[in-house]
Amino acid sequence: MKKLLIGLIRFYQKYLSGMKAGSCCKYIPTCSQYGIEAIEKYGAIKGGILAVWRILRCNPFAKGGFDPVP
């Protein structure tokens, strides 16, 4: 399951991420890289929850900045 999730994120990074016009991530590392790191560190379930929580926090009102995986 872990490899599948990371594979999906890498597919997004390679093929879909560049299609979004004029957008750049407010956070460092990017949300997709954060997801990969969280899944590698905590596994599919807890890492996936952390990744989803990060994506939910990424909105126009967020300040952004450095936000590493805990």
Side-chain angles (χ1 to χ4, degrees):
M1 186 65 158
K2 185 174 164 179
K3 289 182 182 183
L4 175 67
L5 290 175
I6 291 173
L8 289 172
I9 294 171
R10 293 211 189 274
F11 176 84
Y12 166 79
Q13 287 178 327
K14 187 171 184 178
Y15 297 108
L16 302 176
S17 180
M19 295 174 71
K20 297 186 317 185
S23 65
C24 63
C25 193
K26 295 180 179 190
Y27 288 104
I28 298 171
T30 63
C31 294
S32 56
Q33 187 60 39
Y34 182 95
I36 290 172
E37 291 175 15
I39 292 168
E40 286 177 342
K41 185 172 182 178
Y42 293 108
I45 296 173
K46 186 174 179 182
I49 291 169
L50 286 170
V52 168
W53 180 245
R54 167 71 176 272
I55 291 168
L56 291 174
R57 289 184 290 145
C58 191
N59 60 63
F61 305 108
K63 291 182 181 179
F66 183 65
D67 183 28
V69 175

